[in-house]
Amino acid sequence: MKRDNKNIFLVPLYIVCFVPLVMWGRILKLNLSQYAWFPNREEGMDFFLASKQAVLCSAVPLMIILMGNMVVKKTILGVWKQNTKKLWMFIPLGIYIAMSIVSTCCSDYRTFGFEGGMDNYESIWAVAGYGITAVYGWTAIDGAKNPEWAREHILTVLAVVLGIVGLTGTLQTFGFDPLCTKAVSALVLHGRLAGRQITSIADKAYATLYNPNYLGVMGVMTIPLLLAKALSAKTQLRKAVYAVSCVLMTVAFWGSGSKTGRVMLGVCLFVFLLIYTKKIWFKAVCLGAGLIGLAAVAVFLAGISGKFEQKRNTVIQSICTNENNVELKCHDKEIIMAIDIYGSSMPEIVTVCDSEGIPYQMECDRDDVLHFADNLFPELTVTAVQYENYISIDLREEKQDGNIRHWYFTNQTQDGTYQYVTVFGKTERIDSSEVRIFSPMQGRESSISGRGYIWSRSIPLLADYLVLGSGQDSFTLIFPNQDYLGKAAYDFENVLISRAHSLYLQIGIQSGGIALVAYIIFFAMLLVRLCKKRDNPLAAALFASILGYFLMGFTNDSSVTTTPIFFLLTALGLSLY
């Protein structure tokens, strides 16, 4: 590559750098209104995710065209011949992307895989874009006349972008959200959204990344890199750019409130300093501090582990809607309810019996609400109401905070069977015993900010999609969102579960077990290669950054807000050896 043309080949990588900043209001079709757990809404607004995916995918054709230009000029062939060992590394990455594509093409939910799904918009085109970014980035940098010059320019652009992201998050940390100003709303919202104003989506810092968790991931992934460049950049100007960006990202990262992120950032900075420094005494101090820190974390987790088993925000243990009645269990006792619309008074309209058909003694108050005699089930009362045009049993449950939760059941359905009436006025048969639960996590669903509940219902899905996954962006559809009792018990009532909150569960379920293994192998090989280059400050920093993304992946998903930057760092790492 001639020096004058270097910037042309780096343009697609500059575009990838800017992906975290992109915001553009769009109204998109959701294709979810046919489900009982979703409202009768055909469209939804998105400001962050779909636009980021669009920008990423717009860079991919440019990468392909420029790679074609390299083939014509034989630049790319020379790079590949000189780096055959690196080409072998791309085999597992290729398997991961290929299995993701095959899983999506064979999926019953392929529409979501090709177009992207609500709350994610990480379609198969985005996944392919990740892989192409890694391959193209490595090729373009290695093919440059001065690869170090190319790396430095990419990192400088990235530092500026991260500085803007960090500034936005820092302002949010101190109570001012610039995204909610009229100026930003006018810039971002057009067409049918024109005239509206963006409202804050979180009470914590989230910058331009949609979710505080994603800001946490970005912080863990980039702060070690920015710190390393602030210490090792060759010019004072660049040192200042990296240092300011590092400070802003650190403040924003802290404002995101990511507790897991804080622990992982400490681990990554510890690893970076341990690898980077050449002083034996300093390594010994770091190692000792790290061991003490790990011991403290282990003691803390052991101390609070018992608390995870105690939080269940419902006294109802199971619910099953049948042909002729509704069965539920409370305090290890069976309750069977039915409704007779021809009854003349409340005790005749709603019947409440035990498992042997013997009616419970009920007391009817002046509001026609039935209470269990002798305080048998003090948290429960029963009545009949018209709810969403259905004559329904209204089972009222007093929650731990004193508020009332309503469970509505009706037999005014097409087949005359009893079904649960959702908050969206739709009916659905439910049987809580049919929900598969990963037994080691049962009773620990409240752990890790409720992720225990999501994982306990997600892990059994791995067996269903061991070879071929469910397809990209299909998690919302295969997760048991109809587990109304479980969601009520663990504070996900009326919440749509659309993410696995684990990168590895996400890949294993949506792309399959083969894709997951290939993904891990690729990045394990990259980490080994970077570790061998640990005398290089950039290699040490990239090792810590990529390790940080992997560690955060245990409790966070892949997202189009953060993953493009991760694969850009991957390309930089590949170009170092």
Side-chain angles (χ1 to χ4, degrees):
M1 255 185 257
K2 295 182 179 180
R3 183 178 181 82
D4 293 340
N5 292 329
K6 282 179 179 178
N7 281 324
I8 296 175
F9 289 93
L10 297 182
V11 165
L13 303 180
Y14 294 153
I15 294 174
V16 173
C17 288
F18 277 93
V19 167
L21 281 182
V22 176
M23 287 178 57
W24 191 262
R26 299 177 65 183
I27 296 178
L28 302 164
K29 289 186 177 180
L30 302 177
N31 300 316
L32 294 171
S33 60
Q34 68 270 35
Y35 297 98
W37 38 258
F38 196 79
N40 285 314
R41 180 158 52 91
E42 298 292 340
E43 295 178 331
M45 293 184 292
D46 178 80
F47 306 115
F48 300 94
L49 303 176
S51 54
K52 287 176 169 59
Q53 176 183 247
V55 171
L56 171 66
C57 292
S58 71
V60 171
L62 184 57
M63 293 182 196
I64 295 173
I65 291 171
L66 292 176
M67 286 182 73
N69 180 274
M70 293 182 204
V71 171
V72 172
K73 293 184 177 181
K74 298 184 179 180
T75 305
I76 194 170
L77 299 178
V79 172
W80 288 0
K81 285 181 180 179
Q82 295 173 12
N83 298 276
T84 53
K85 290 183 179 180
K86 292 183 186 178
L87 290 177
W88 283 103
M89 279 191 60
F90 285 109
I91 292 177
L93 179 62
I95 292 173
Y96 158 64
I97 294 173
M99 290 304 299
S100 298
I101 294 172
V102 172
S103 295
T104 299
C105 291
C106 297
S107 173
D108 294 333
Y109 315 106
R110 63 180 65 89
T111 299
F112 294 87
F114 286 112
E115 298 179 3
M118 178 183 172
D119 288 343
N120 296 294
Y121 293 107
E122 191 180 37
S123 69
I124 195 62
W125 309 114
V127 173
Y130 299 155
I132 293 171
T133 297
V135 175
Y136 175 83
W138 160 61
T139 305
I141 295 170
D142 256 17
K145 187 175 181 180
N146 186 348
E148 184 178 353
W149 179 92
R151 281 192 291 268
E152 196 62 41
H153 275 68
I154 292 169
L155 287 169
T156 301
V157 173
L158 180 60
V160 172
V161 170
L162 292 173
I164 299 172
V165 172
L167 176 61
T168 305
T170 297
L171 291 173
Q172 291 168 346
T173 298
F174 291 104
F176 173 70
D177 191 344
L179 303 186
C180 297
T181 60
K182 291 182 179 179
V184 172
S185 296
L187 182 65
V188 171
L189 305 180
H190 300 273
R192 291 164 59 186
L193 296 175
R196 300 190 185 187
Q197 186 164 342
I198 299 173
T199 56
S200 183
I201 63 171
D203 57 356
K204 301 175 183 177
Y206 59 95
T208 57
L209 303 180
Y210 175 65
N211 189 306
N213 290 332
Y214 297 150
L215 180 55
V217 173
M218 185 68 82
V220 172
M221 182 171 58
T222 58
I223 289 173
L225 179 62
L226 293 171
L227 176 62
K229 293 302 296 179
L231 295 173
S232 63
K234 294 182 178 180
T235 66
Q236 293 300 316
L237 178 60
R238 281 188 170 149
K239 282 187 176 182
V241 170
Y242 290 123
V244 170
S245 182
C246 182
V247 170
L248 290 172
M249 277 299 299
T250 301
V251 175
F253 166 77
W254 194 264
S256 72
S258 174
K259 296 177 183 178
T260 303
R262 292 170 187 175
V263 174
M264 296 307 176
L265 179 60
V267 171
C268 292
L269 290 175
F270 165 72
V271 169
F272 166 67
L273 293 173
L274 194 63
I275 294 175
Y276 178 56
T277 182
K278 296 180 180 180
K279 296 180 179 180
I280 296 177
W281 67 267
F282 186 76
K283 288 188 176 184
V285 171
C286 286
L287 183 60
L291 291 174
I292 293 172
L294 289 174
V297 171
V299 170
F300 172 74
L301 292 176
I304 65 174
S305 61
K307 298 179 181 179
F308 294 156
E309 303 182 13
Q310 299 174 7
K311 186 178 179 182
R312 180 181 169 87
N313 196 19
T314 180
V315 295
I316 300 174
Q317 296 165 281
S318 65
I319 298 176
C320 179
T321 56
N322 301 313
E323 182 177 352
N324 298 314
N325 53 45
V326 178
E327 296 181 20
L328 59 93
K329 180 182 287 188
C330 180
H331 299 312
D332 296 322
K333 296 182 176 66
E334 299 286 343
I335 301 175
I336 300 176
M337 301 182 298
I339 189 169
D340 181 2
I341 61 174
Y342 300 107
S344 59
S345 62
M346 179 50 60
E348 296 177 1
I349 295 175
V350 178
T351 59
V352 186
C353 306
D354 62 16
S355 58
E356 297 180 356
I358 301 173
Y360 282 108
Q361 293 297 315
M362 310 294 290
E363 298 174 353
C364 186
D365 65 18
R366 65 180 63 184
D367 296 320
D368 282 340
V369 177
L370 299 178
H371 301 255
F372 289 87
D374 300 324
N375 215 28
L376 183 61
F377 301 106
E379 306 89 350
L380 303 180
T381 57
V382 186
T383 189
V385 297
Q386 183 164 329
Y387 176 70
E388 297 289 346
N389 298 320
Y390 300 104
I391 296 177
S392 308
I393 298 172
D394 178 8
L395 176 67
R396 301 175 183 180
E397 177 189 11
E398 184 178 357
K399 298 192 291 185
Q400 294 175 358
D401 59 7
N403 292 321
I404 301 298
R405 176 187 291 123
H406 295 264
W407 298 91
Y408 296 103
F409 305 94
T410 186
N411 60 352
Q412 292 187 316
T413 57
Q414 288 184 348
D415 58 4
T417 61
Y418 280 84
Q419 295 185 17
Y420 172 65
V421 187
T422 70
V423 293
F424 307 115
K426 302 177 181 180
T427 60
E428 183 173 24
R429 177 189 172 274
I430 60 172
D431 185 350
S432 57
S433 65
E434 293 180 353
V435 178
R436 292 179 296 169
I437 303 174
F438 184 57
S439 55
M441 300 200 71
Q442 192 164 12
R444 294 176 171 82
E445 285 92 338
S446 298
S447 60
I448 319 179
S449 302
R451 285 175 174 83
Y453 168 76
I454 298 174
W455 296 344
S456 69
R457 272 66 172 173
S458 299
I459 292 174
L461 297 174
L462 288 171
D464 299 334
Y465 301 103
L466 188 60
V467 179
L468 279 181
S470 62
Q472 194 64 22
D473 259 5
S474 62
F475 183 82
T476 304
L477 305 167
I478 63 172
F479 183 86
N481 271 298
Q482 72 280 12
D483 178 25
Y484 302 104
L485 180 60
K487 291 166 78 171
Y490 301 108
D491 296 327
F492 286 98
E493 191 172 9
N494 304 327
V495 174
L496 180 67
I497 308 295
S498 58
R499 295 184 291 271
H501 287 275
S502 170
L503 170 67
Y504 308 107
L505 275 177
Q506 179 186 15
I507 294 175
I509 292 170
Q510 294 188 159
S511 300
I514 297 173
L516 176 59
V517 172
Y519 184 90
I520 294 173
I521 289 175
F522 173 74
F523 287 104
M525 292 169 64
L526 177 60
L527 286 173
V528 170
R529 297 282 184 177
L530 286 173
C531 193
K532 291 181 179 180
K533 289 282 186 178
R534 57 185 175 274
D535 291 337
N536 185 323
L538 180 57
L542 287 171
F543 179 92
S545 293
I546 292 172
L547 177 64
Y549 183 86
F550 259 74
L551 293 175
M552 290 297 284
F554 284 103
T555 57
N556 291 276
D557 313 88
S558 170
S559 169
V560 75
T561 61
T562 55
T563 306
I565 301 302
F566 172 65
F567 276 87
L568 180 64
L569 298 185
T570 298
L572 291 168
L574 287 167
S575 71
L576 284 175
Y577 68 90

